[in-house]
Amino acid sequence: MKTDVVIIGGGPSGLLLSQLLNKAGIGTVVLERRTRKYVLSRIRAGVLEGGTVDLLERAGCGDRMHREGDPHEGCYLSTERGMFRVDFRDLCGRQVMVYGQTEATEDLYAAQDEMGATVIHEAMEVMPHDLDGDPYVTYEKDGETHRIDCDFVAGCDGYHGVSRSVIPKGKKEEIERVYPFGWLGILSRTRPAADELIYANHPRGFALASMRNANLSRYYIQVPSDDDPEAWSDEAFWAELKRRLPGEVAETMETGPSIEKSVAPLRSYVCTRMRHGALFLAGDAAHIVPPTGAKGLNLAMSDIHYLSEGLIAHYKDNDGAGLDAYSDRALRRVWRAIRFSWWMTSILHRYPEQDDFDQRMQEMELENLRDLDAARRAMALNYVGLPL
Ligand code: FAS
Ligand code: PHB
């Protein structure tokens, strides 16, 4: 088989790239290790930046998002002194869209079906070869080894994928911060606790009240990163969540059975080289952020914006400048998002080694946000997404 670009990974990064390239007349083959059903069973991000909304519209995946998604013009921060709102619309004239990553991925799959795109599921042992010469990718399926010759390979295979590992250790720097806690998240068919997201700083630990729609709520509480989700009964989760949310919210919130329960460890990770010959890394294959700033999925989407622009310029105008600049351009935005996610994580979580001074500084960061428009504006500009 021969194509222009082989895309490893059929998650949001890989599918968006395939869709944008196909719309520009560029051939792709997507190789996904899992079944489509498995990919669409994963519950992950919930907040889309305006830039991500624009990208999905450009990809022809805006209709259901605008029908079923929920624009949010602000969010709440909660401390022991009570809850206050950060008004994105008032502070920076923009908003976010609450629409689950699972839904956006489903829309991308539907658009790729309509495009007649080649998405191969259960492609095992995927491996890129000869990235400095005549690139090709091999994979196993139905007991046979297959080969696809191509011009470029996009590594959209997430943090545990194969792509990053083919970049020689001496050619890349990996910068990481592992946070000393994780998030225990549940999904429940209940009315959301509030009309907008609530990020809560509490002496017992962080909590987040989010949602997917009017009848589907998503909640998280900070737990030790090695906590076992099965050790938490639904009752224990709801009781702990209510302790950490503002009283007026906890008193009236609806609880119910969890339909998904998982623990996600929090880390920041960056591979400082997102290109190696004909291979380009995008999304979680290149970087990971703690979900506190709702940046993970949005960063994956901005990578694809830059990468698709570079590939289209290469094929349409024989112009390689976008591809040459891709890694530096994407990483500038990645590091800004990592800083914001680190800052949001640092002001909202309880750190095991936190001393009284740390505690006071955290409280003053939150008081700054409560009292100063300028502090809230800086948060709002980062939360809704810096310009692409
Ligand atoms: P993905 O990991 O989504 O997709 C990679 C795909 O590649 C997968 O389908 C995988 O099966 C496939 N693959 C892997 N190895 C392969 C191989 N060798 N061959 C072929 N295919 C291979 N972000 C937020 O903004 N907010 C959140 O609340 C949030 N919660 C998260 C919770 C969890 C548990 C996780 C893991 C992530 C969360 N994220 C969140 C981040 C998440 O949304 C990612 O940023 C997003 O999935 C990135 O998309 P991709 O880069 O496409 O990677
Ligand atoms: C979610 O709804 O899953 C979500 C929202 C905002 C975050 C993290 C997760 O910062």
Side-chain angles (χ1 to χ4, degrees), residues 9 12-13 32-34 42 44-45 101 156-157 161 283-284 296-297:
S13 298
E32 165 56 49
R33 178 166 61 181
R34 301 285 191 168
R42 294 188 300 227
R44 288 189 172 167
Q101 169 175 326
C156 301
D157 48 350
D284 279 19
L297 175 63

Side-chain angles (χ1 to χ4, degrees), residues 269-283:
Y269 167 87
V270 181
C271 174
T272 62
R273 187 185 181 96
M274 291 175 64
R275 176 181 192 177
H276 176 61
L279 171 70
F280 294 86
L281 301 183

Side-chain angles (χ1 to χ4, degrees), residues 44-47 183 197 199 208 210-212 218 220 291-294 383:
R44 288 189 172 167
V47 172
W183 283 14
L197 274 67
Y199 290 84
L208 170 60
S210 183
M211 71 288 285
R212 291 292 177 272
R218 180 74 169 156
Y220 299 94
T292 329
Y383 193 91

Side-chain angles (χ1 to χ4, degrees), residues 75-79 82-86 366 369-370 376:
C75 73
Y76 296 98
L77 294 179
S78 162
T79 74
M83 202 157 77
F84 62 95
R85 186 164 180 266
V86 181
L366 289 159
L369 285 165
R370 185 190 296 276
R376 284 196 305 281

Side-chain angles (χ1 to χ4, degrees), residues 6-15 29-40 42 44 105 109 118-126 137 139-141 148 156-158:
V6 171
I7 298 170
I8 305 176
S13 298
L15 293 169
V29 173
V30 178
L31 297 175
E32 165 56 49
R33 178 166 61 181
R34 301 285 191 168
T35 63
R36 180 184 293 203
K37 183 168 184 282
Y38 181 93
V39 173
L40 293 175
R42 294 188 300 227
R44 288 189 172 167
T105 307
Y109 266 117
T118 307
V119 181
I120 298 171
H121 285 278
E122 297 181 284
M124 309 308 288
E125 305 305 320
V126 176
V137 176
Y139 67 96
E140 309 282 335
K141 187 165 168 84
I148 310 175
C156 301
D157 48 350

